[in-house]
Amino acid sequence: MKVFIKTYGCQMNIRDSEAIAGMLKNANYEIVDHESKADILLFNTCSVREAAENKAIGKVGFMRKLKKDKPHLIIGILGCMAQSKGDELFERLPHLDFVLGTGQLHKLLDTVNSLVEERKQMLLTAECNDVLTQMGVHYNDGDTSNFSNYSSFIAITRGCNRFCSYCIVPYVRGREISRTIEDVVAEARELVASGTKEITLLGQNVAAFGLGGNVNPPEEGISPFADLLVELNKIEGLERIRFTSPYVSYFNDKLIQTMADCKKICHNIHLPMQSGSNRILKLMNRQYTREMYLEKVAKMRALMPDITFSTDIIVGFPGETEEDFMMTKTLMEEVGYDNAYIFKYSPRKGTKAAAMDDQISQEIKEERNQILLQVLRKQVESDIKKLLGTTQELLVEGVTKTNKDRFFGKTDTSWVVNFVPNAETKVGDIVKVKITQANAVTAVGELV
Ligand code: SAH
Ligand code: SF4
Ligand code: F3S
């Protein structure tokens, strides 16, 4: 039977979809790249903003037509929206066959098998810790059109205990649980043995790894996450280690020093700031201040001068004044991000912020969004120029969309560089290039 998987949301969802694809493939299902070719349609969904939910609901609604022509079609909604909406989804989408929440993802194969045997609507949304240890499967057949082999995600924690006041993730992903160092290292070794060069460690707060769900940052000298990095750094054949997202206050000196000492850890950190105003940070229940954020950035820059930063920012949080917004803008300028995901606040039912007074209008959110995008554009334009004339190491990622004769790769600081390959260049190689052009958002290099 043929399966089509559509994924919405963050890297954790991409990773879950990949594990599901791996499980299905091992059970002789075939993964296809278009819904029209499939017998089974899986939608792995996101609830973090209203737009993400609407997109998935719209898409599944549209599948009703397809099912009229192909009554044997099995349609399932998985992941975060499955968890948050549950039963309600069957009411809105009567042609839906099953709903599988975030704690039940490891039951996907059993669920699909039982639906192939006997058709009925199935709802599975219980929280279950087994999902942590049973989702270590990877989709690996050398076919980079579905999931890449040279760069792989590893989920090291699941769930979140932080309850930022705007965020639905703790409600849809459950309580934070961590794997063991041995377990993560074993998965990384297996991936490297089958061609992986770069791993990205995933978690809602990766730096909380191994802290037993404690919401207070660890004391100085304690960082199980740093201990994990040290072990991963020893794996022969692994070239690069990335992670996302870490919560800023968990960067103690031990972790920062470890990052500087371990050669494979990329000098590009995704460090969500959300807001530059201490008043708003407090309302968001983010347990750091603007000053603490800047202090951590400065410490990392002192030890790793080439480090680049990216971030997540929310504009239009309830009560955000012009003054608060200016604090966000100036913090952005002070840090100098080379990438930023700027989100317009979206009220999520059941969260604290959704019930706050002073919700901000869509127009103001849009206006603030545009202003920050402009700040980002300026920063990128000026930073990319600094690459001119330098020699950079790239991990080759593929052929460029606009020119089939050109390849592109990424520096460890996450700049994308296009270059003309030679006869031996392949995806997953590490190559050296000299940067000959660097303007707007793309850099061009020549192999050296
Ligand atoms: N665990 C990660 C964030 C995961 S959600 C962290 O804390 O860093 C990814 C991003 O979505 C968040 O960083 C935040 O910027 C954004 N986000 C979360 N809830 C949102 C909401 N209700 N409206 C708009 N953006 C939101
Ligand atoms: Fe959401 Fe905050 Fe947890 Fe990130 S840390 S997932 S923003 S509650
Ligand atoms: Fe969305 Fe769930 Fe990720 S809500 S952002 S897919 S954890």
Side-chain angles (χ1 to χ4, degrees):
M1 291 198 109
K2 296 180 172 153
V3 187
F4 172 72
I5 307 175
K6 167 92 185 150
T7 310
Y8 300 87
C10 64
Q11 287 101 326
M12 191 63 90
N13 262 19
I14 296 173
R15 169 66 194 115
D16 286 342
S17 290
E18 192 220 340
I20 283 163
M23 289 177 204
L24 288 165
K25 183 178 157 253
N26 292 344
N28 290 321
Y29 286 85
E30 185 189 338
I31 306 299
V32 293
D33 61 4
H34 197 269
E35 58 221 29
S36 62
K37 301 177 190 163
D39 309 295
I40 299 166
L41 305 179
L42 304 178
F43 297 90
N44 193 8
T45 57
C46 172
S47 278
V48 82
R49 284 168 292 276
E50 197 185 358
E53 290 191 339
N54 289 345
K55 236 193 202 166
I57 289 177
K59 181 77 182 176
V60 179
F62 197 64
M63 293 298 112
R64 197 172 185 164
K65 263 203 217 136
L66 205 63
K67 196 158 178 173
K68 267 208 178 121
D69 302 336
K70 258 194 188 175
H72 75 281
L73 202 62
I74 295 174
I75 304 179
I77 292 187
L78 329 176
C80 296
M81 186 174 70
Q83 193 68 35
S84 71
K85 295 205 183 290
D87 237 353
E88 192 192 319
L89 290 168
F90 290 121
E91 281 162 42
R92 293 183 68 170
L93 305 158
H95 56 298
L96 188 61
D97 295 287
F98 72 102
V99 170
L100 194 75
T102 50
Q104 295 285 315
L105 290 171
H106 57 298
K107 303 262 182 69
L108 187 269
L109 187 59
D110 291 347
T111 311
V112 168
N113 282 339
S114 86
L115 282 168
V116 171
E117 295 261 305
E118 183 200 355
R119 302 303 289 267
K120 57 176 186 278
Q121 281 190 326
M122 291 177 78
L123 172 74
L124 291 93
T125 50
E127 212 174 294
C128 175
N129 284 358
D130 292 349
V131 74
L132 183 71
T133 49
Q134 294 188 23
M135 292 286 285
V137 187
H138 286 264
Y139 182 88
N140 226 328
D141 62 355
D143 175 3
T144 53
S145 62
N146 283 302
F147 298 101
S148 73
N149 282 353
Y150 67 87
S151 178
S152 303
F153 289 142
I154 301 182
I156 64 167
T157 71
R158 284 184 179 269
C160 185
N161 288 355
R162 300 215 58 90
F163 290 92
C164 302
S165 65
Y166 50 81
C167 185
I168 199 168
V169 171
Y171 303 92
V172 297
R173 283 269 174 188
R175 294 293 60 74
E176 180 189 286
I177 39 178
S178 291
R179 293 169 68 184
T180 61
I181 292 184
E182 296 72 36
D183 199 19
V184 176
V185 170
E187 186 172 328
R189 280 191 193 285
E190 242 173 69
L191 285 166
V192 171
S194 62
T196 289
K197 299 286 176 61
E198 173 181 83
I199 55 173
T200 303
L201 308 174
L202 301 179
Q204 296 307 336
N205 173 11
V206 282
F209 173 83
L211 291 173
N214 196 334
V215 288
N216 295 315
E219 278 170 39
E220 199 45 76
I222 296 174
S223 175
F225 180 59
D227 302 336
L228 171 66
L229 292 174
V230 168
E231 292 310 311
L232 293 170
N233 192 59
K234 292 178 190 162
I235 297 178
E236 217 169 295
L238 179 65
E239 302 277 354
R240 291 180 170 184
I241 303 169
R242 299 182 186 275
F243 51 81
T244 189
S245 298
Y247 196 91
V248 65
S249 46
Y250 287 62
F251 277 89
N252 56 19
D253 291 349
K254 173 171 173 168
L255 177 53
I256 297 175
Q257 189 62 50
T258 301
M259 286 165 50
D261 292 344
C262 294
K263 272 181 73 182
K264 293 176 184 175
I265 298 173
C266 290
H267 287 184
N268 170 253
I269 304 296
H270 184 67
L271 199 58
M273 74 117 126
Q274 313 300 357
S275 169
S277 152
N278 287 339
R279 195 182 73 84
I280 295 293
L281 284 171
K282 201 159 183 200
L283 288 171
M284 286 178 162
N285 192 29
R286 298 288 288 187
Q287 286 163 6
Y288 53 86
T289 59
R290 174 193 181 94
E291 293 72 27
M292 189 197 294
Y293 189 99
L294 282 168
E295 182 200 315
K296 301 290 182 191
V297 166
K299 275 192 175 169
M300 286 188 242
R301 281 220 161 102
L303 290 181
M304 297 165 273
D306 64 341
I307 199 166
T308 57
F309 291 97
S310 61
T311 199
D312 290 347
I313 297 173
I314 297 176
V315 292
F317 183 84
E320 184 185 71
T321 63
E322 197 56 35
E323 212 178 351
D324 293 319
F325 171 66
M326 276 307 159
M327 298 295 282
T328 299
K329 180 169 179 273
T330 55
L331 184 54
M332 226 183 140
E333 287 161 343
E334 272 176 64
V335 177
Y337 300 101
D338 291 314
N339 200 2
Y341 301 89
I342 302 157
F343 303 109
K344 287 169 268 186
Y345 170 70
S346 167
R348 308 282 63 214
K349 215 167 117 193
T351 62
K352 259 195 178 161
M356 286 179 186
D357 295 335
D358 269 340
Q359 298 284 329
I360 306 294
S361 74
Q362 203 55 33
E363 289 91 312
I364 293 183
K365 287 179 193 169
E366 188 54 48
E367 193 183 295
R368 292 179 180 170
N369 185 33
Q370 289 306 324
I371 293 170
L372 297 190
L373 284 173
Q374 190 60 35
V375 172
L376 176 66
R377 215 169 293 139
K378 262 199 197 150
Q379 187 73 44
V380 171
E381 274 173 20
S382 99
D383 287 349
I384 202 166
K385 285 195 190 115
K386 297 177 194 153
L387 296 176
L388 253 185
T390 64
T391 298
Q392 299 283 337
E393 242 175 31
L394 306 180
L395 175 61
V396 181
E397 298 204 351
V399 173
T400 63
K401 274 196 188 134
T402 46
N403 184 344
K404 295 261 171 296
D405 301 329
R406 273 193 182 175
F407 275 45
F408 71 98
K410 226 183 248 157
T411 67
D412 92 322
T413 50
S414 279
W415 290 107
V416 176
V417 180
N418 295 347
F419 66 99
V420 179
N422 63 25
E424 283 109 63
T425 315
K426 344 179 260 320
V427 169
D429 283 353
I430 299 271
V431 299
K432 269 196 180 147
V433 296
K434 185 165 184 192
I435 308 295
T436 52
Q437 272 178 58
N439 37 40
V441 287
T442 34
V444 179
E446 274 169 13
L447 282 174
V448 294

